[in-house]
């Protein structure tokens, strides 16, 4: 079977079994991505240890620029045959004896769930960090079916950003008719957050969409596109003054300066919610906490969404036609273009998706 893999030993020959590779800097670290050929994942449906598991054949996967585990600063160790990535769409090949509801051929996506009481997801709520393996054995409890109306490209890019975006809005819990600012530009999570707010009947303001992509978000139900490219909060401050402050600021970028600026935009009793731990020491937050006290505002954090958040996102996708942003699709022979699009200087808008062809399985 095939596996898209990565390592950082760019000064050495490519490992045995790699058919092609490309080197792209990730967070400033030269990273080598390759296509490895390894033995197919074994699966005995009658084995007791497989009773709650399924065997999947990958159809497509997406790599997030920031969320995926690709450098030494993160939790997962890169390896020449391990695979990478957390988001995918796959079809069920076989199931264990206890598994119901997943007939062979059904399409499924991972269901990140945090905090969870199922014990199924593997790494802090993520189902897998090896989503690029063409065949995978995973717990059935960590998967969810996806309807036929959502194509493979969109389904492959949906799980993490959609569940997180809907969780951010759940934590913010803005009142009906209130004004909400979403910071984070054209990231998948920011756009999923916009979808979750529109699902609640709100028309949010979106901060920091690159100017070259403004035309690609004007159909999403956004009330205001403010401060293109995210260089300032000047327009956002004007909106905040006119509205008496935002009821919530939902920030998927999480910089220290972003928190300072965002809390200043909150109205009385407002809430700042982020899914990205900000940098900075205690001295950096003196102004933030002063404003929190004066405004009676609060901070909230979200690591990942729950199954209920993803179910709600899928429902909204079926009802409204909302889809995560996907820039382009790639397949066998396009590996170099795929990783350069996702991690290079390509002026991208959404995720890039890699699809395995039917040949070579």
């Amino acid at each position: 079977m095939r596996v898209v893999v990565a390592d950082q030993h760019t000064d050495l020959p490519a490992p045995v079994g790699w058919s092609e590779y490309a080197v792209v800097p990730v967070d400033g670290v030269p990273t080598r991505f390759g296509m490895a050929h390894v033995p197919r994942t074994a699966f005995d449906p009658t084995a007791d240890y497989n009773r709650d598991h399924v065997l999947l054949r990958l159809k497509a996967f997406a790599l997030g620029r920031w969320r995926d585990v690709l450098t030494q600063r993160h939790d997962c160790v890169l390896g020449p045959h391990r695979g990478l990535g957390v988001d995918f769409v796959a079809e069920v090949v076989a199931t264990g004896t206890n598994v119901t509801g997943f007939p062979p051929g059904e399409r499924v996506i991972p269901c990140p769930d945090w905090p969870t009481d199922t014990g199924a997801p593997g790494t802090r709520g993520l189902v897998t960090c090896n989503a690029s393996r063409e065949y995978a054995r995973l717990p059935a409890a960590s998967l969810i079916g996806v309807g036929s109306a959502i194509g493979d490209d969109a389904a492959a890019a949906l799980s993490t950003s959609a569940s997180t975006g809907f969780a951010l809005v759940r934590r913010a819990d803005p009142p009906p008719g209130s004004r909400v600012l979403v910071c984070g530009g054209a990231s998948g999570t920011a756009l999923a957050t916009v979808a979750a707010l529109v699902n609640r009947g709100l028309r949010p303001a979106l901060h920091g969409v690159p100017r070259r992509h403004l035309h690609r978000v004007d159909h999403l139900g956004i009330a205001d596109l403010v401060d293109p490219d995210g260089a300032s909060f000047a327009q956002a401050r004007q909106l905040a003054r006119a509205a008496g402050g935002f009821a919530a600021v939902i920030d998927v970028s999480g910089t220290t300066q972003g928190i300072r600026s965002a809390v200043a935009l909150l109205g009385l009793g407002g809430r700042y919610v982020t899914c990205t731990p900000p940098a900075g020491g205690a001295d950096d937050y003196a102004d933030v906490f002063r404003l929190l006290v004066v405004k009676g505002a609060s901070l909230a954090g979200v690591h990942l969404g729950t199954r209920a958040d993803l179910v709600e996102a899928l429902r909204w996708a079926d009802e409204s036609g909302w889809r995560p942003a996907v820039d382009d699709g790639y397949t066998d022979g396009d590996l170099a273009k795929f990783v350069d699009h996702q991690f290079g200087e390509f002026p991208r808008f959404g995720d890039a998706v890699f699809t395995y062809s039917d040949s070579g399985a």
Side-chain angles (χ1 to χ4, degrees):
M1 70 177 188
R2 295 161 290 184
V3 187
V4 174
V5 291
D7 69 15
Q8 292 173 345
H9 302 295
T10 55
D11 57 333
L12 300 176
V16 175
W18 284 31
S19 61
E20 59 174 310
Y21 70 89
V23 177
V24 176
V26 179
D27 286 355
V29 180
T31 303
R32 178 171 57 183
F33 296 82
M35 176 71 75
H37 295 261
V38 302
R40 178 172 161 175
T41 301
F43 188 87
D44 179 0
T46 65
D48 184 63
Y49 55 79
N50 282 331
R51 64 186 182 275
D52 298 315
H53 287 70
V54 299
L55 177 66
L56 302 175
R57 183 183 177 192
L58 186 77
K59 295 178 72 66
F61 72 95
L63 293 179
R65 191 179 185 98
W66 306 119
R67 69 175 175 269
D68 283 311
V69 188
L70 294 175
T71 71
Q72 296 173 348
R73 296 191 306 175
H74 295 113
D75 299 331
C76 188
V77 179
L78 295 175
H81 303 105
R82 297 183 74 255
L84 60 147
V86 302
D87 284 334
F88 65 85
V89 61
E91 62 181 13
V92 176
V93 176
T95 61
T97 54
N98 285 357
V99 177
T100 60
F102 285 136
E106 178 167 357
R107 290 191 315 153
V108 296
I109 58 177
C111 185
D113 190 12
W114 187 267
T116 179
D117 57 5
T118 66
T123 304
R124 291 193 301 168
L126 294 175
V127 174
T128 180
C129 290
N130 310 124
S132 64
R133 295 178 66 85
E134 190 173 9
Y135 285 85
R137 171 187 176 271
L138 289 170
S142 64
L143 305 169
I144 190 169
V146 60
S148 59
I150 302 177
D152 287 344
D153 281 4
L158 190 147
S159 293
T160 308
S161 61
S163 62
T164 304
F166 276 69
L168 286 163
V169 172
R170 172 172 53 80
R171 290 297 303 275
D173 195 23
S178 61
R179 298 303 307 270
V180 178
L181 176 69
V182 178
C183 303
S187 71
T189 303
L191 297 181
T193 302
V194 167
L197 289 163
V198 174
N199 176 40
R200 290 190 173 215
L202 300 174
R203 296 187 67 237
L206 180 60
H207 173 274
V209 178
R211 292 180 188 276
R212 61 179 176 270
H213 294 312
L214 289 175
H215 67 286
R216 298 185 63 180
V217 298
D218 58 9
H219 68 288
L220 298 179
I222 299 166
D224 298 285
L225 292 165
V226 298
D227 304 304
D229 302 316
S232 73
F233 282 84
Q235 291 175 280
R237 283 194 292 270
Q238 293 176 3
L239 285 178
R241 284 194 294 268
F246 289 104
V249 174
I250 303 176
D251 183 9
V252 303
S253 57
T255 64
T256 302
Q257 184 56 44
I259 291 179
R260 287 175 174 171
S261 299
V263 171
L265 299 175
L266 290 173
L268 294 176
R271 176 170 290 189
Y272 171 89
V273 188
T274 186
C275 59
T276 305
D283 291 344
D284 295 325
Y285 296 98
D287 291 341
V288 171
F289 284 99
R290 179 183 61 79
L291 285 171
L292 289 174
V293 171
V294 170
K295 296 186 174 190
S298 59
L299 303 180
V302 168
H303 171 52
L304 291 167
T306 64
R307 177 174 287 268
D309 294 312
L310 186 54
V311 167
E312 181 67 7
L314 289 171
R315 183 198 64 76
W316 181 243
D318 286 339
E319 291 186 3
S320 70
W322 166 76
R323 298 291 184 268
V326 174
D327 248 2
D328 212 342
Y330 299 88
T331 187
D332 306 47
D334 291 333
L335 180 63
K337 294 179 181 177
F338 169 63
V339 296
D340 185 60
H341 184 141
Q342 197 63 24
F343 300 102
E345 297 304 318
F346 192 97
R348 67 189 189 92
F349 174 73
D351 287 339
V353 173
F354 190 93
T355 300
Y356 282 118
S357 67
D358 289 337
S359 62

